[in-house]
Amino acid sequence: MSSRFSDFALKAFGILLMLAALGFAVSKAPDRSLDSLVPRWAPPPSDFLDLDGQLVHYRDQGPASDPVPLVLIHGTSASLHTWEGWATALAQTHRVVSFDLPGFGLTGPNADGDYRDARYVDFVRRLLARLGVARAVVAGNSLGGEIAWQLALADPARVAGLVLIDSAGHDFVPESLPLGFRIARIPVLRQGMRWVLPRRAIEASVLDVYGDPSHVSAALVDRYYELTLREGNRVALMQRMDQLAPGPVERLPGIKVPTLILWGGRDRLIPLRWGEAFHQAIAGSQLVVFPKLGHVPQEEDPAATLAALRDWLPQVAR
């Protein structure tokens, strides 16, 4: 009996090894070069500029004469594409600037692996100066929101109005953390993420941050997946996770510009109570909640969120 059990155990172990090898082969995901991604993900009006040695993917749309452009800043593991619904509509009447932050999208990693908030704020200030944007309405989602409100504190003369969309910055505890973020925070697992990345893991992450799973299309998952594979982005995500820290939220009452806060009622990454905390801290701010949307409401339902923005924009001195 023991001999038969040993034979069975060996065969079972062999089958598991074969399945593991097959899984590795299927999920193996080498880095993608920038050149290979540009044709699909950087058609016009996309452009690139060299900012102090960092090649930056950006879009500058709409009338160049607009004195107070809109600047749109995406969140962790996202890209400027998250704003396409807004940018296309807004560019009919406004100058709209969007870009991929270092470590994400087609901009890719920076040279020294520094992804702290202060470094991102400095990056945005230098980029806007390079593009000739002296004053703007700055909107940000998640990490982008955290950068936006810290920019308003660091350079108040540059920020005419502030739009925080499911913004980061508080020391919050997620109700649910996307699978990709969880992997990037676990030392043993994340090393394998450099070479193995099942598309299904990215799909699960996108589904986790959307309020309505039916809004998640195959094309949307393709975009997140392929841009994650851009050379250096996976390591950059790990470094960003290591450098996460709450922002100086005690300084939020110092923000004096018109502020609009948009929040998805089904956001499980940064739940609504943190949107309410921003609203309480920033005097005169307006909070609009979208009960059926998740963590990226501007991407999940551009029309509804853009309507709220348009209603608020007249409050900004132009």
Side-chain angles (χ1 to χ4, degrees), residues 50-314:
D50 186 320
L51 185 68
D52 304 321
Q54 174 86 59
L55 189 65
V56 179
H57 175 221
Y58 76 101
R59 291 179 180 174
D60 192 345
Q61 303 169 252
S65 59
D66 185 357
V68 184
L70 284 106
V71 173
L72 310 177
I73 311 175
H74 68 77
T76 301
S77 292
S79 62
L80 59 75
H81 305 86
T82 194
W83 301 106
E84 284 185 326
W86 276 28
T88 300
L90 288 168
Q92 303 302 313
T93 52
H94 298 273
R95 182 183 177 191
V96 182
V97 176
S98 57
F99 46 86
D100 290 347
L101 291 167
F104 307 112
L106 297 179
T107 293
N110 62 33
D112 58 9
D114 186 349
Y115 300 102
R116 292 172 296 174
D117 293 347
R119 181 66 176 273
Y120 276 127
V121 171
D122 177 67
F123 166 82
V124 173
R125 293 178 75 175
R126 288 185 292 113
L127 179 61
L128 295 184
R130 175 73 174 273
L131 295 175
V133 177
R135 192 163 172 266
V137 174
V138 183
N141 172 229
S142 194
L143 165 62
E146 184 171 8
I147 295 168
W149 66 257
Q150 292 194 40
L151 177 67
L153 290 170
D155 195 356
R158 194 180 296 277
V159 180
L162 188 61
V163 183
L164 304 180
I165 307 173
D166 296 71
S167 176
H170 285 278
D171 188 13
F172 65 95
V173 177
E175 292 176 3
S176 179
L177 193 64
L179 179 59
F181 290 3
R182 277 182 275 160
I183 293 172
R185 297 175 74 172
I186 300 173
V188 175
L189 292 181
R190 73 185 195 174
Q191 294 307 316
M193 192 176 76
R194 298 188 185 197
W195 302 281
V196 178
L197 186 63
R199 184 181 180 279
R200 192 177 184 91
I202 299 300
E203 181 180 20
S205 296
V206 178
L207 286 167
D208 198 68
V209 297
Y210 264 56
D212 184 347
S214 70
H215 292 162
V216 177
S217 66
L220 179 69
V221 176
D222 282 348
R223 188 187 84 210
Y224 277 97
Y225 181 62
E226 293 191 16
L227 294 179
T228 298
L229 298 182
R230 191 256 193 242
E231 286 176 324
N233 279 359
R234 281 176 279 188
V235 172
L237 176 60
M238 299 173 202
Q239 292 171 324
R240 169 62 188 169
M241 289 298 175
D242 289 342
Q243 297 166 26
L244 280 176
V249 292
E250 70 281 357
R251 296 183 57 203
L252 284 169
I255 294 175
K256 304 300 182 184
V257 298
T259 300
L260 174 65
I261 301 167
L262 306 180
W263 220 272
R266 294 182 180 174
D267 187 349
R268 298 187 300 159
L269 179 58
I270 308 181
L272 175 59
R273 68 189 186 96
W274 299 110
E276 294 167 345
F278 279 110
H279 180 44
Q280 291 171 7
I282 303 174
S285 62
Q286 179 181 342
L287 172 63
V288 181
V289 180
F290 301 90
K292 296 183 179 180
L293 302 182
H295 184 63
V296 283
Q298 83 288 351
E299 179 179 278
E300 190 173 354
D301 191 341
T305 50
L306 186 55
L309 176 72
R310 289 190 187 280
D311 288 344
W312 169 83
L313 269 178

